[in-house]
Amino acid sequence: AYDFKVGDIYYSISNKAASLVNVVAGETKYAGNITIPETVENAGVVYTVYGIGSSAFYECPMLQSVDIPNSVTSLGSDAFCGCKALTRASIGNNLKVVSQNAFKGCEALESVVLGSKVESLGFRAFSGCVKLKDINLNDNIISFSDYVFADCVSLTNVVIGKSVQSMGVGVFSGCTNITGVEIRDGATVIGSSAFYECIKLQSVDIP
């Protein structure tokens, strides 16, 4: 449920005393190009946009792009799951966790810019993003949960940052066009079937 709407975006007050709100689902599906603001005013109160609720943009078939501001520190599970027209997502610099299924099944998603503080990618966060070619895996990412990039068939080369300590089961399973993977210093655990059915994989560089 939402508390108020400003422009095309619905908000729920998560902490009234601190004037914090989350972006949530509303009466109509989100569409087009959405830029989430850092602050929003309602009834004379200026709120900080602190998070994006679970399933906030779930299966919005006409959503094309989203820009998430630096004020957002939480991204709920299934937040953009099944947004089949979404081509681009930019995530601000204060988000630490991309939750499970956050962008699962975003079949048109080609590019994702992860903020510099992202540390963890949740279960199937980007699985089934069949057009995803470009994702910057910053050096602060510590862990990849299971099947994070499963069936991302357009990925070709992957460089995994130096802070990664663990990679879950099937992380790149079904990525049939990956040809090379470079794992920098740090990774101590690589889950089973991490590269299952990566039929074009020619090299994996592990320090």
Side-chain angles (χ1 to χ4, degrees):
Y2 69 94
D3 292 309
F4 62 89
K5 178 185 180 184
V6 175
D8 294 324
I9 301 177
Y10 298 89
Y11 299 94
S12 174
I13 300 171
S14 56
N15 187 324
K16 191 171 184 178
S19 299
L20 301 177
V21 294
N22 289 332
V23 176
V24 295
E27 296 175 357
T28 59
K29 294 280 190 179
Y30 292 104
N33 303 304
I34 297 291
T35 298
I36 298 170
E38 292 200 1
T39 60
V40 62
E41 184 175 351
N42 182 66
V45 179
V46 176
Y47 295 92
T48 297
V49 181
Y50 187 72
I52 296 175
S54 297
S55 303
F57 295 83
Y58 182 78
E59 291 188 351
C60 291
M62 302 301 290
L63 182 67
Q64 297 176 335
S65 71
V66 61
D67 290 287
I68 300 171
N70 292 335
S71 61
V72 169
T73 62
S74 66
L75 178 65
S77 60
D78 300 284
F80 296 93
C81 181
C83 293
K84 296 186 182 300
L86 183 67
T87 60
R88 183 186 61 81
S90 177
I91 296 173
N93 287 325
N94 286 308
L95 186 72
K96 290 187 176 182
V97 178
V98 178
S99 297
Q100 67 178 17
N101 301 326
F103 293 92
K104 178 184 176 183
C106 292
E107 297 176 352
L109 188 63
E110 297 178 357
S111 174
V112 176
V113 177
L114 294 177
S116 59
K117 292 185 180 179
V118 171
E119 296 178 352
S120 177
L121 302 180
F123 176 76
R124 289 195 180 276
F126 296 97
S127 70
C129 294
V130 295
K131 291 188 177 180
L132 184 62
K133 300 176 183 177
D134 182 23
I135 184 165
N136 64 316
L137 300 175
N138 69 61
D139 282 341
N140 290 321
I141 296 176
I142 296 172
S143 65
F144 292 72
S145 296
D146 298 348
Y147 304 104
V148 169
F149 296 104
D151 302 315
C152 291
V153 295
S154 293
L155 285 177
T156 55
N157 288 283
V158 178
V159 177
I160 295 171
K162 60 186 179 182
S163 295
V164 170
Q165 298 174 7
S166 64
M167 297 168 57
V169 172
V171 172
F172 294 102
S173 62
C175 295
T176 52
N177 282 299
I178 282 185
T179 57
V181 176
E182 178 184 347
I183 301 174
R184 296 176 179 171
D185 294 345
T188 56
V189 177
I190 299 176
S192 61
S193 304
F195 303 103
Y196 180 68
E197 291 186 341
C198 294
I199 56 177
K200 294 185 179 179
L201 186 61
Q202 298 176 356
S203 66
V204 178
D205 296 328
I206 303 175

